[in-house]
Amino acid sequence: MDVLSALSEQFPDHPPTWNDIVIAVIAISWVPLYRTDLEEISWAMAMGGFVAFFVIRGPVANSPIGMRLGSWWKAIGLRGRAVGIILYAVGVWITSQFIYISVTLVSSIVAGGMLAIAVFVFLHVLSAREVSGWV
C-alpha cells in the first residue's frame, strides 16, 4: 500500500475543486507576503502549526465529531458562517487585550498552518488525480 492510498481515507469523498487550488496558492503565498522577515518565524512553532492544521484537517475532520461540526457549519449558511468568523475574530481581539501573546508565536503557527493547507490540497489532487469544477 502506497502513502497516497493510505492517506486517501483522510480526504473528502470528492475531487478537489479549482477553489481548493486557489486557496492553496493563497495559503502558500501568505508566508513570504505576510512575513517579509522570515527570520522572525520560529520554525519549531511553524512545524507545530503544520502538524496541528494537518491533523485537524485530516483525521479530526473525518471523525464523527468533525463530520457533525462540518455538517452544522454548512447548515448555518453563508450569513451564519460570516457571523461565526466575525465573533471568533472579536473574541481573539478581546482576549489579546488581556493576555500577551507573541506576534512571532502566532505568525509561526499560522505559517505552518498555511503550509499544511497547501500540502493537504496538493496531496488531495494527487490522490484524486483530477480537479473538478469551481464549486
Side-chain angles (χ1 to χ4, degrees):
M1 176 185 266
D2 65 355
V3 174
L4 281 177
S5 297
L7 286 174
S8 66
E9 296 174 7
Q10 305 307 318
F11 298 122
D13 59 354
H14 55 80
T17 64
W18 287 108
N19 288 347
D20 297 325
I21 303 297
V22 169
I23 289 169
V25 169
I26 291 169
I28 200 85
S29 302
W30 179 89
V31 177
L33 291 177
Y34 180 73
R35 298 304 306 166
T36 55
D37 186 5
L38 293 178
E39 295 195 12
E40 287 183 25
I41 290 180
S42 163
W43 292 105
M45 288 293 109
M47 183 56 70
F50 180 91
V51 170
F53 273 63
F54 206 83
V55 167
I56 288 168
R57 183 59 189 102
V60 173
N62 291 313
S63 71
I65 292 171
M67 293 168 99
R68 204 166 165 191
L69 183 60
S71 295
W72 170 80
W73 187 249
K74 289 175 186 169
I76 64 173
L78 185 59
R79 187 174 294 152
R81 290 190 293 265
V83 168
I85 291 167
I86 290 167
L87 288 174
Y88 176 78
V90 168
V92 169
W93 179 77
I94 289 171
T95 302
S96 73
Q97 302 305 305
F98 298 104
I99 300 171
Y100 173 75
I101 300 174
S102 164
V103 173
T104 300
L105 173 70
V106 173
S107 295
S108 300
I109 292 171
V110 171
M114 294 295 114
L115 295 173
I117 290 169
V119 169
F120 186 88
V121 171
F122 176 73
L123 291 174
H124 189 192
V125 169
L126 286 180
S127 174
R129 294 187 177 99
E130 68 175 306
V131 177
S132 170
W134 279 97
V135 181

